[in-house]
Amino acid sequence: MKLTKLNTQMAALGLVAAFMAAPVMAKEPLTVNVSVLSMDVANKIALNTVAACREKGIPVSVSVVDRNGIIQAQLRDTIAPAVSLGISQKKAYTAVMFNVKGSELEGRANSPLQTMGEGLAFMAGSTPIAAGGKLYGAVGVSGAPDGKDDEACAIAGVESVQDDLEMQ
């Protein structure tokens, strides 16, 4: 009898241990996988953006930000205006926060958001970096007389890696 009772207790302890060791089944995953650009790709986008504007004879500054608006790469061409560096960052930040090109946001320039001090720039000169349904970040450019030229250079920089990003 003692042997059977001991066996029953051992079996019960085994079941308790098995339940405690089993993974917790959550309704949603406990972690999130996020795709980010490598430093090399961010630098390639920045360099190719500057090169695209150089072909037009326009010295610019470029900022590449990640999906959170944090700078990954930033360049200022040799004779680009000093002020263009900060403007390129704001353009990139705005594009990634709203996930649209800067030219699509120009209508919001007089909105209350512009006065909130959040580092937003509702003007042409930026584009998101997206591929395969993922938002990786954005590129902002400043220095051209027209923001449309800035934006064309940003798009060229992204297009230089677009096929590679699509394959991920």
Side-chain angles (χ1 to χ4, degrees):
M1 186 80 173
K2 284 187 177 185
L3 188 57
T4 307
K5 186 175 181 181
L6 182 61
N7 286 344
T8 305
Q9 288 175 343
M10 296 280 283
L13 283 173
L15 283 173
V16 169
F19 282 121
M20 292 178 72
V24 176
M25 301 304 256
K27 291 181 182 179
E28 293 184 28
L30 299 177
T31 60
V32 177
N33 293 327
V34 178
S35 297
V36 297
L37 296 176
S38 70
M39 180 182 69
D40 292 338
V41 171
N43 283 329
K44 184 175 181 178
I45 291 169
L47 286 168
N48 290 333
T49 298
V50 170
C53 273
R54 277 185 174 178
E55 287 178 13
K56 298 177 182 188
I58 306 169
V60 297
S61 291
V62 58
S63 295
V64 178
V65 298
D66 66 13
R67 62 185 294 122
N68 296 309
I70 299 169
I71 295 173
Q72 278 195 273
Q74 194 171 46
L75 294 172
R76 185 182 140 265
D77 204 352
T78 308
I79 59 169
V83 69
S84 64
L85 198 58
I87 295 170
S88 72
Q89 180 180 353
K90 289 178 182 180
K91 287 181 178 184
Y93 179 79
T94 305
V96 76
M97 289 297 117
F98 290 89
N99 192 18
V100 295
K101 295 176 187 169
S103 59
E104 296 176 34
L105 294 169
E106 289 180 316
R108 296 186 184 190
N110 294 324
S111 78
L113 287 172
Q114 186 66 28
T115 62
M116 294 180 71
E118 296 298 322
L120 301 172
F122 297 112
M123 60 184 74
S126 58
T127 190
I129 305 167
K134 299 175 184 174
L135 176 64
Y136 291 97
V139 182
V141 180
S142 179
D146 186 330
K148 303 278 187 202
D149 289 327
D150 287 334
E151 196 159 292
C153 295
I155 292 167
V158 173
E159 286 177 349
S160 72
V161 301
Q162 191 71 47
D163 289 341
D164 293 334
L165 289 176
E166 292 290 347
M167 299 305 277
Q168 293 294 310

